[in-house]
Structure formats: structure tokens, C-alpha cells
Amino acid sequence: MARKRKEPRYLDDVLIERMGAEGQCVAHVEDKVLFVPYAAPGDRCRIRVGRSKRSYMLGTIEELLEPSPLRVEPRCEVFGACGGCKWQQLPYDEQLRGKSQQAADAMTRIGHIAIEHTEPIVGCEDPWHYRNKVEFTFSKKRWLTEEELKSLPEEASEQELCGVGFHKAGMFDKVLDLHGVTCQIADPIASEIRDYLNDYCLARWEEYPYYDQRAHEGVMRTLLIRTTTLGGLMVLIAFAEGTEELRVQLLEALRERFPQITSLYYMVNTKFNDSLADLPAQLYSGAPYIEENMHGLRYRIGPKSFYQTNSRQAERLYEKVREYAQLKGDEVVYDLYTGAGTIANYLAQSCRSVIGIEYVPEAVEDAFVNRDQNGITNATFYAGDMKAILTDDFVAAHGRPDVLVTDPPRAGMDAPVVEVILRAAPQRIVYVSCNPATQARDLALLMAEGQYRAVKACAVDMFPHTHHVETVALLSKLNTEHHLDIEIGEDED
């Protein structure tokens, strides 16, 4: 017997108070915190409650009774359905204010850290069409609105049910079809290429059906597009099935339609997931990489390379890192989670030596290439798990860092890594993070023994209109009482 559906609960005349983390706005109702997406401070709404716990509730706007005076019309025609952008309903200066507060709240509420000086957030000069990397998914089943479900014929064709776009949140097998929609935060060429391929495949459906994530069958799987400020345009198409002849026909048609493509790749992915990191990329035409310029250095970017998705704002982020590092020219610098060595090679111009550590081997290969092509001779890189590479013995062998830069993934640093850093005792630690919460947690651990003080911090908006924000913090060593000497000489018998 089917369980009876619970009647939805509504809250009337709720006043949205402020922006919160993760793209949510915050209100207080019935002595609980209420989190509401796609709202604006000052909105008065009727809220549909989705989940209610002891101290908080999650809800969605059922009816906007009185819009906030802060509200603006979103540029994107699928805003709210897409899920990629969370803040297009707010002016950009309000977004910056909210992100700055989010970063400050993490420091005080999670880390319980008093930053001596918090600098103003660094915003984008142009907050639109900034992304240099976009990934689209071909799906046999697209997400359908209630109106579309009602209007579809009973025997709808596969072409009417498929789509190419972004995954719908919480639905691994469905995408929001973006045909005819220009993504407002990506380079417009990405939307043009996506729509061309969609038209091409729909006109030849028997040869190029879209992938079915549940049945694991189909031909067209994913599309990756990368651009650079130097005019580079890389396209990578992942096929699941099909013949080499059909792949060549599609790739050739794409190359002829978009002669500005400078690097055209394809992959064959027959796995049950869309990850491409462990698959070989086949170059069909053009150069094997595209190039980007940053502070006079040229970086090569391959189909699987890591590179900041906002090229212009990355320059401002790295300028802030160099400013906080306070390099004089004779320092040993460690760059943890170095990626393709962008920070390490940038700082190498201003110090004695740089050692970069990264767990992705392909990224380290890129780091060496970028080092060599820029004539940098004082940077070296190591690939492997951070806990396994960064040990006391490693520090003894390579020299204690005067400055340590760390830019970990969203999960932050593992406790053993923090412990080695504390024993190495660099004079300055520059912590770059894409997650203010884990950054605050790690900074608290680094400061727990009284060895460091939090000198200053700054948020950098790398991702306008989304809920993400990058933060940079500087810790400075207080004294030498906790400094652990690590023998660098040879072992004695």
C-alpha cells in the first residue's frame, strides 16, 4: 500500500533578512533559521517548507508577495532552473557584499579567528561571460517542466525527450536542455558550438543518439570547451559508442563550421561515469594545447589541465598571493596543491626557489612544461599524495620553507599536512581557498598552539553570480619557541 503523501506546509509573509552561504538567503521563523534559495534580502514571500529540523528549516518561494527593492531582472532566461548561478537576481555590488560577509562569518563562527585586517573584496571588472571552461552533457532524457509534461504527445519521439546542457541538480540522468540559450557566464562561442552539435545530431539521430545514463547506451556523451584571452579555442567531444567513420564525419563538420577552433580533441568513454581524467585524449586537428598569458608568463593548457576558470580574475588573485608572500628574493617557497604550477612559476621570479607538490601527475607534467617554456630554472615539482610527499624527511632534504603557499581542494588540508607545516614553521603561510569554511577550520588548527597570528585576509570573487568565492589569508609566525629543528645534514653513525 502506497504511503499517503504529506500535505505541504506553508509559511505566510516571511521577510528575507540577508544573504547566507551556499546560495541561500536567511530568515527567522518560529525560533528557527530558514534557508531559502533564489531570494533577495528584503523580499516578503510565501514559503513552502521542504524540510524542518530542530533548529532550521529549508524552504522555497511559493509566491513573491513583495519583491525586495534590491531585486534586478536576471539576464539568463533559465535562471532558477539551471542552478549554476544563484545570485543573478541581485546587483553585482550586493553579491560582493554578501560574499564578503560569508567569508568573514566563516572566520568568526567556524574558526573563531580574529583577523587583524580584512581587506575589501576584489570584484570582477566585468562579471559576465568570464568562464574559460564549460562542460555540457548529452542526455537521452532531459528535464521536463510540468507544462512540458502536460503538452508532450503520448508517443513522444526520442528527439523530443533528449537534450544537451547542464545536469539538473540531484538528477544524474537528466539535463536541462539549453538549446537556443546563451550561457551568461561563459564565452558565447561555447553556446554556439553546443547548439550546432545539437542540430547536427538531431538531424542524424540514428547515427548520433544521445547517451542514456541508466541503460548505458548511445553515442554522444559530453562536450568540453576551453577558451583563452589569446584566442585559443579547444573542443573535446566524448563519444560512448559509434564507429571511427561517424566520429570523423562529425569532427570534420565541426571543424569546417568553426575554423577558429585551434585544438580539436575526442575521447571514447565506455565507462559508467563521465570522468575523463583516466582516459586518453585523441587529437583530431590543430595544436595539442592552447595558451594563456598571465603576468608575462605563457601557460600551456591541455584537455585535462587544471587552470583557473576566470583568467582575468586569476591574475588579481595571484597578485594578492604575491603581495601576502612578501618575497625579497632569497626565500625558499613551498607551493602545496600546486596544480599546473601557475602560482609556483609566478612566484619563482621573486624568490630563490620554489617547490610545488600536487597529487595529479598530469598537472605536474604541465607544471614542468610551463616552467621550461618560460625559462624558469628555480622551480621544481613533485607528484603524489600530499600526506605521503610532505613529510619531515622531505623538508629536511629540500630545506625549510620561509614562505608556504597552500591552495587545497574544497575539503581543505588533512591533519597530518597541518602538523608537518607547523613543525616546518615557515615565517609566513599564505592560504588560498575556494571554501571559506574549511579554510577557517585549517587556520584555527595552524593557530591553535599560538605559533601564528592572522595578519590579514581578502576575498576574491572568481565566480560572479554563483555562490562560490575565493579567499586568501596570511598567517605570520609569532615566535621561535615552537620551532622544531630538522636536521639537514647526513646521518651520523
Side-chain angles (χ1 to χ4, degrees):
M1 184 175 177
R3 182 183 297 178
K4 186 177 179 181
R5 289 190 66 179
K6 191 175 181 180
E7 288 295 318
R9 182 185 172 211
Y10 296 94
L11 302 171
D12 291 317
D13 199 20
V14 174
L15 175 64
I16 303 298
E17 300 165 14
R18 61 178 177 84
M19 294 172 64
E22 302 299 322
Q24 307 281 336
C25 274
V26 177
H28 289 82
V29 180
E30 301 173 354
D31 296 323
K32 295 182 180 181
V33 180
L34 173 65
F35 297 101
V36 183
Y38 303 111
D43 279 345
R44 288 193 175 274
C45 319
R46 186 169 190 250
I47 299 295
R48 177 171 177 158
V49 179
R51 181 185 300 177
S52 182
K53 297 294 184 179
R54 181 182 300 177
S55 61
Y56 72 91
M57 292 185 285
L58 305 179
T60 55
I61 297 176
E62 181 73 12
E63 182 182 357
L64 187 57
L65 304 174
E66 182 181 331
S68 166
L70 296 176
R71 272 191 175 268
V72 295
E73 188 68 25
R75 273 201 195 188
C76 179
E77 57 193 273
V78 293
F79 175 71
C82 171
C85 293
K86 302 290 188 183
W87 296 122
Q88 280 196 31
Q89 77 278 27
L90 287 173
Y92 187 51
D93 58 348
E94 288 297 325
Q95 296 180 33
L96 293 177
R97 188 174 292 111
K99 290 184 178 187
S100 183
Q101 188 62 51
Q102 175 187 342
D105 287 347
M107 291 294 182
T108 56
R109 297 178 182 179
I110 297 173
H112 305 289
I113 297 169
I115 303 292
E116 294 178 13
H117 176 59
T118 299
E119 298 184 303
I121 188 170
V122 179
C124 282
E125 293 181 0
D126 184 356
W128 303 102
H129 301 296
Y130 59 85
R131 283 193 67 94
N132 57 36
K133 179 183 178 183
V134 190
E135 298 174 74
F136 299 111
T137 299
F138 298 90
S139 177
K140 190 175 180 180
K141 298 176 182 178
R142 64 183 173 91
W143 177 75
L144 299 169
T145 65
E146 292 185 9
E147 292 77 12
E148 287 177 313
L149 286 170
K150 293 175 183 177
S151 62
L152 274 175
E154 290 186 14
E155 298 297 328
S157 68
E158 291 183 339
Q159 292 95 317
E160 291 175 295
L161 295 174
C162 73
V164 55
F166 299 136
H167 273 285
K168 188 68 178 169
M171 299 181 182
F172 78 95
D173 63 333
K174 291 183 174 63
V175 303
L176 175 68
D177 185 40
L178 296 177
H179 188 71
V181 176
T182 299
C183 179
Q184 295 298 314
I185 61 173
D187 191 308
I189 191 65
S191 298
E192 293 180 35
I193 293 173
R194 178 205 64 218
D195 284 355
Y196 172 78
L197 286 173
N198 192 33
D199 290 337
Y200 184 92
C201 294
L202 289 179
R204 300 161 181 82
W205 185 254
E206 293 301 319
E207 290 82 14
Y208 303 99
Y210 293 175
Y211 193 68
D212 187 327
Q213 289 281 1
R214 292 187 181 274
H216 298 292
E217 59 184 20
V219 173
M220 303 299 297
R221 195 150 183 179
T222 57
L223 169 66
L224 168 68
I225 300 167
R226 308 186 80 151
T227 58
T228 70
T229 61
L230 299 178
L233 175 57
M234 176 180 288
V235 177
L236 167 63
I237 301 173
F239 301 92
E241 299 173 357
T243 66
E244 181 71 15
E245 180 183 1
L246 288 176
R247 287 195 285 269
V248 168
Q249 287 177 9
L250 183 144
L251 292 167
E252 189 61 25
L254 180 64
R255 188 178 68 85
E256 291 179 3
R257 171 61 182 82
F258 294 95
Q260 64 267 51
I261 294 176
T262 57
S263 182
L264 181 55
Y265 276 92
Y266 73 94
M267 285 182 173
V268 177
N269 180 13
T270 58
K271 302 183 303 175
F272 284 0
N273 63 66
D274 287 336
S275 173
L276 303 179
D278 57 344
L279 296 174
Q282 306 294 329
L283 180 65
Y284 177 75
S285 67
Y289 54 83
I290 53 178
E291 288 192 319
E292 186 59 280
N293 179 74
M294 185 181 297
H295 294 107
L297 300 178
R298 293 178 80 92
Y299 292 93
R300 291 183 179 181
I301 303 169
K304 293 189 284 185
S305 300
F306 170 78
Y307 195 81
Q308 288 284 357
T309 54
N310 187 336
S311 299
R312 290 187 172 87
Q313 199 69 346
E315 292 201 37
R316 306 180 77 181
L317 173 67
Y318 295 164
E319 286 169 1
K320 189 60 64 176
V321 171
R322 185 171 65 177
E323 173 192 329
Y324 281 18
Q326 303 171 43
L327 300 176
K328 307 299 182 185
D330 59 348
E331 298 90 350
V332 173
V333 177
Y334 281 19
D335 181 25
L336 308 188
Y337 313 92
T338 190
T342 47
I343 291 179
N345 285 317
Y346 174 49
L347 296 182
Q349 304 169 95
S350 306
C351 64
R352 189 203 321 166
S353 64
V354 180
I355 297 169
I357 306 175
E358 168 60 41
Y359 65 94
V360 179
E362 292 85 358
V364 171
E365 292 174 10
D366 289 338
F368 277 114
V369 169
N370 291 325
R371 179 198 69 177
D372 294 343
Q373 79 159 356
N374 285 288
I376 295 169
T377 59
N378 61 336
T380 191
F381 302 94
Y382 295 87
D385 180 77
M386 189 63 63
K387 300 188 297 296
I389 298 290
L390 186 68
T391 63
D392 293 339
D393 289 341
F394 182 92
V395 174
H398 295 84
R400 185 181 297 115
D402 301 295
V403 176
L404 184 140
V405 178
T406 181
D407 186 2
R410 289 187 62 80
M413 297 192 296
D414 291 320
V417 175
V418 174
E419 292 166 5
V420 173
I421 292 173
L422 287 172
R423 289 194 292 271
Q427 289 297 315
R428 290 177 294 284
I429 299 172
V430 182
Y431 193 131
V432 185
S433 176
C434 58
N435 186 345
T438 55
Q439 181 191 44
R441 179 203 67 195
D442 291 348
L443 291 178
L445 292 173
L446 290 165
M447 298 173 65
E449 299 296 324
Q451 193 170 345
Y452 289 93
R453 63 190 179 98
V455 179
K456 53 186 174 180
C458 180
V460 180
D461 188 23
M462 302 287 291
F463 317 104
H465 311 296
T466 76
H467 64 277
H468 300 291
V469 64
E470 204 90 2
T471 49
V472 188
L474 169 63
L475 299 186
S476 182
K477 194 166 179 291
L478 274 171
N479 55 59
T480 58
E481 293 179 5
H482 302 277
H483 193 102
L484 179 67
D485 286 330
I486 301 175
E487 294 298 325
I488 299 179
E490 295 180 356
D491 293 337
E492 296 181 359
D493 294 332

